[in-house]
Amino acid sequence: MTKKYRICLSISSMDESFAKMAAALSGFAEVAVVGLDGYSLRDTDIFIGKKMSADKLKDADDLKAVFAYKTGVDDFPVREFAKRGIILANSHVNSRSIAQYAFSLAVTLVSRTAEFDRKMRLGNWATDNPYWRSLFSMKAGLAGFGHIGREIYSLLAANGIKCYTTDRGKEYPDDILLVNSLRELCEASDILFVSLPKTPSTDNLFGKELFGLLKGKYIVNVGRSNCIDEAALFEALANGGMGGAAIDTWREKPASADELLLPFDVPFQTLDNVLLSSHKAMQVADGHARYVEDTLNNVLRYLNGALPDNIVDCRKGY
């Protein structure tokens, strides 16, 4: 390297993982550690962070690459990056753990474990329907076949569960069955795993029409919340005969850890056939350290003259 790069590391608070990152990068670049807001990108070559507003680009005269120490990139101005030729790279290091969480949600949902637990705590052994279903006798649909979707598929296939996904012109394993549309995917599947990114094309993708095809069936969402029409999902669960849903992602999160917040306008909490999870798929015990270490290695790769791994297509937003 002939130039000493200037790196802006944006974090909420310093911890051991970030300290190791800053120390490792300081041998290659000038590192400015800043908060999540209140900083300038003037003279910055590389930005590392979890979010960025479009306003920050006004001063970003030298910005060449942005690294997200997470998977989702909808908190970044990706369209502006595309216009300016700025590289954006994210991390998929925790995809297998997220897939495990999705698998556990599915097992808990179809087994009705949470429902039976709630009733047993009241000493209630009675139920209109005492039977639960086995995931191993179901056909699974994968709406989204990126890093997380592929890891979910691996878990399902290892347990002999037949899998379907929509044909998007990618390379697929030989034993996955391809369909041509989400409608066909809903018709073919008993349980649907959703791991889609947040883009304009995924807004309210699953609504009344598709939920109408899921009578007696199940949906598990560990992707972005925007793809689910919540009112339509509630109606399908309460009155439409849909088997159940497990939802881990929502449109908002509380401002602080001790704030109480129900992030939906319909009373999901009154239904027995829904599992509500507070964005926990990504919160695996060592997940943060793994994200930071993976991002560090990717930045070092870039500093040594190679293209980063996991470059986001900023025109598509994922």
Side-chain angles (χ1 to χ4, degrees):
M1 294 181 297
T2 58
K3 175 192 173 183
K4 189 133 182 172
Y5 284 90
R6 187 174 189 275
I7 296 175
C8 180
L9 172 59
S10 171
I11 61 177
S12 58
S13 61
M14 182 60 73
D15 59 25
E16 183 179 355
S17 297
F18 286 132
K20 288 181 179 178
M21 171 183 271
L25 293 175
S26 64
F28 298 87
E30 177 187 341
V31 181
V33 179
V34 300
L36 298 182
D37 296 294
Y39 57 85
S40 171
L41 292 177
R42 186 176 300 280
D43 299 325
T44 296
D45 299 290
I46 298 169
F47 176 84
I48 305 170
K50 63 186 299 185
K51 67 176 185 176
M52 181 197 294
S53 68
D55 287 344
K56 294 296 182 187
L57 292 178
K58 293 177 181 177
D59 294 331
D61 46 354
D62 289 329
L63 189 64
K64 302 171 184 65
V66 172
F67 293 83
Y69 47 83
K70 61 177 189 171
T71 299
V73 294
D74 45 284
D75 292 329
F76 292 86
V78 292
R79 295 185 185 280
E80 289 302 313
F81 290 170
K83 291 177 184 177
R84 297 178 56 165
I86 296 171
I87 293 173
L88 172 63
N90 60 354
S91 173
H92 299 280
V93 72
N94 286 321
S95 293
R96 192 178 187 195
S97 298
I98 294 171
Q100 175 191 320
Y101 195 82
F103 188 85
S104 72
L105 285 176
V107 172
T108 304
L109 179 66
V110 303
S111 303
R112 299 172 62 196
T113 310
E115 175 192 347
F116 294 153
D117 173 79
R118 287 192 296 270
K119 291 179 177 178
M120 193 69 240
R121 289 170 188 266
L122 300 173
N124 181 3
W125 293 60
T127 178
D128 293 337
N129 175 17
Y131 300 107
W132 55 274
R133 295 189 62 183
S134 171
L135 184 64
F136 302 137
S137 64
M138 293 182 173
K139 295 174 289 186
L142 296 163
F145 205 70
H147 289 79
I148 295 171
R150 288 178 181 272
E151 292 289 358
I152 295 173
Y153 157 77
S154 295
L155 287 172
L156 296 169
N159 284 280
I161 299 169
K162 185 180 291 186
C163 296
Y164 297 78
T165 194
T166 51
D167 189 352
R168 301 290 301 276
K170 301 179 180 180
E171 291 186 6
Y172 298 96
D174 292 338
D175 57 349
I176 197 166
L177 300 169
L178 301 178
V179 296
N180 295 315
S181 66
L182 280 178
R183 182 181 182 88
E184 290 182 25
L185 190 65
C186 292
E187 291 172 339
S189 308
D190 299 308
I191 184 167
L192 200 64
F193 291 85
V194 181
S195 59
L196 294 168
K198 182 178 180 179
T199 69
S201 64
T202 61
D203 279 341
N204 289 324
L205 194 60
F206 289 92
K208 182 177 180 180
E209 180 182 356
L210 291 182
F211 290 139
L213 301 174
L214 295 176
K215 288 186 177 181
K217 302 181 179 184
Y218 302 82
I219 190 168
V220 175
N221 185 23
V222 291
R224 286 296 186 248
S225 61
N226 69 302
C227 65
I228 300 285
D229 181 329
E230 291 180 0
L233 176 60
F234 178 83
E235 178 63 24
L237 291 167
N239 304 307
M242 191 171 163
I247 309 297
D248 183 54
T249 57
W250 307 95
R251 65 174 183 263
E252 59 180 323
K253 292 187 280 188
S256 63
D258 57 354
E259 178 187 350
L260 297 179
L261 174 69
L262 290 176
F264 38 79
D265 298 322
V266 291
F268 282 124
Q269 72 274 21
T270 65
L271 301 178
D272 275 334
N273 59 344
V274 63
L275 279 178
L276 307 174
S277 177
S278 53
H279 214 148
K280 287 294 186 282
M282 61 172 288
Q283 294 181 3
V284 63
D286 61 347
H288 169 70
R290 286 164 54 82
Y291 271 135
V292 174
E293 182 180 11
D294 185 59
T295 302
L296 169 60
N297 291 333
N298 211 16
V299 176
L300 291 174
R301 176 183 172 84
Y302 178 73
L303 289 172
N304 281 290
L307 282 175
D309 292 327
N310 303 319
I311 293 178
V312 174
D313 186 338
C314 290
R315 295 166 300 176
K316 295 180 179 178
Y318 59 91

